[in-house]
Amino acid sequence: MELQNEEYAKLQESTSEIMRRWCGHANVGIILGTGLGGLAERIETETIIPYNEIPHFPISTVESHAGRLILGRLEGKSIVAMQGRFHFYEGYSAREIAFPVRVMKELGASTLIVSNAAGGLNPQYRAGDVMLIEDHINLLGANPLIGPNDNRLGDRFPDMSEPYSKELIKLAREVALKNAIPTQLGVYVSVPGPNLETRAEYRFLRTIGADAVGMSTVPEVIVAVHSGMRVLGISVITDMGLPDALEPASLERILKNAGEAEPKMNAIILGVLRAL
Ligand code: HPA
């Protein structure tokens, strides 16, 4: 009970500090992934808070991530957006990584939209594709819900039969179709990283049923589901992990491909927000 109350108190402290600086009520939380932070420029910003000014927030250590919370309006919805997220490979626990999602929920968000850069495993995919996440496999070897469960925040054994809202996927596909944006629909597997996969690992990940692999998203989604939020997940395929035709991947190329595919992803997110 001690631990639970301590975490609950931290959540209240983080949320109070944000509410002291922003008097809105969020509808939607958005997490912008690697190389995909540009959507932040479209937000009618009301307040920007660097993570280091929010009590108990982890600090982003990856250069390609900005590390700030943006509060404002986008397509008529009140949103709280993370420009830059936290990763397991940075040394944070899964619980710490997902803490901001709890804060988003406390601020009022009932929907979470998450984006990420991912390696393609499905041979029908190409770098630059946009994949709507239909389901995930957690291979982090960690889980943000490990430890005492706080019943105020969610159930001990949350159901995972539909972590990614079918309704939001349908909506995203409709928006994509209207904008002539092809989309894939697939399974995302999360690995700890930070190294990219070996050929044998890519082959294994494909064999167990994944279409794309990345180093993020799953902790945040688990906590979002635990707290009763609806989730839409979007991956941008930045490189192909084809074991028999593997080319060396470079971070520059991954970021470049993410940047090139970003407008497609942004169009889908904006269209979904408009329709919510
Ligand atoms: N593997 C893991 N994470 C990634 C990849 C990959 O190939 N591409 C982008 N993020």
Side-chain angles (χ1 to χ4, degrees):
M1 198 59 200
E2 277 290 291
L3 256 177
Q4 279 175 37
N5 282 335
E6 202 180 303
E7 200 176 16
Y8 198 77
K10 283 184 180 173
L11 183 57
Q12 302 310 320
E13 279 171 31
S14 301
T15 311
S16 313
E17 173 59 16
I18 296 165
M19 287 169 73
R20 198 179 63 73
R21 296 165 69 161
W22 183 65
C23 50
H25 173 96
N27 311 126
V28 180
I30 303 180
I31 303 176
L32 299 169
T34 306
L36 301 170
L39 189 69
E41 275 136 47
R42 306 284 290 269
I43 300 171
E44 296 159 50
T45 303
E46 290 164 356
T47 310
I48 295 185
I49 313 178
Y51 294 155
N52 62 8
E53 293 175 18
I54 307 172
H56 314 300
F57 244 61
I59 311 293
S60 185
T61 66
V62 185
E63 266 176 47
S64 46
H65 289 245
R68 52 195 199 161
L69 204 64
I70 303 173
L71 302 121
R73 298 189 74 79
L74 192 58
E75 296 294 346
K77 301 298 178 307
S78 182
I79 61 148
V80 45
M82 288 178 75
Q83 196 179 22
R85 63 141 64 84
F86 308 105
H87 302 84
F88 198 53
Y89 61 73
E90 293 175 83
Y92 298 113
S93 70
R95 197 176 267 268
E96 288 170 318
I97 291 166
F99 179 76
V101 176
R102 298 253 183 244
V103 173
M104 289 172 164
K105 179 73 194 309
E106 287 293 307
L107 291 170
S110 54
T111 300
L112 178 70
I113 301 179
V114 285
S115 70
N116 62 51
L121 301 167
N122 184 327
Q124 297 190 342
Y125 291 6
R126 294 288 171 267
D129 280 359
V130 171
M131 183 188 92
L132 302 172
I133 306 178
E134 186 177 30
D135 206 347
H136 74 222
I137 300 173
N138 179 13
L139 283 194
L140 286 177
N143 189 302
L145 305 182
I146 286 175
N149 187 66
D150 190 330
N151 292 321
R152 289 168 291 193
L153 301 177
D155 295 339
R156 172 77 288 188
F157 301 108
D159 176 66
M160 278 284 162
S161 58
E162 192 188 318
Y164 300 85
S165 159
K166 284 201 173 97
E167 202 185 316
L168 291 180
I169 290 172
K170 183 163 171 276
L171 189 56
R173 296 196 101 179
E174 284 165 8
V175 170
L177 199 62
K178 261 191 220 144
N179 289 276
I181 298 167
T183 52
Q184 309 285 2
L185 182 63
V187 174
Y188 175 91
V189 60
S190 65
V191 294
N195 58 279
L196 296 173
E197 286 65 41
T198 64
R199 289 171 197 270
E201 286 165 346
Y202 279 126
R203 190 174 291 112
F204 164 73
L205 296 171
R206 180 67 186 143
T207 305
I208 63 170
D211 296 288
V213 54
M215 306 173 193
S216 67
T217 303
V218 166
E220 295 101 310
V221 171
I222 290 173
V223 161
V225 172
H226 182 249
S227 65
M229 297 168 86
R230 290 196 303 174
V231 178
L232 176 68
I234 305 181
S235 293
V236 165
I237 306 299
T238 54
D239 55 287
M240 288 302 299
L242 299 174
D244 298 312
L246 194 60
E247 288 168 19
S250 72
L251 181 65
E252 293 76 54
R253 184 118 52 87
I254 287 176
L255 291 178
K256 182 170 170 282
N257 287 340
E260 282 172 13
E262 191 180 20
K264 294 192 279 185
M265 189 200 71
N266 289 351
I268 294 172
I269 295 177
L270 291 171
V272 166
L273 282 175
R274 207 175 305 137
L276 278 181

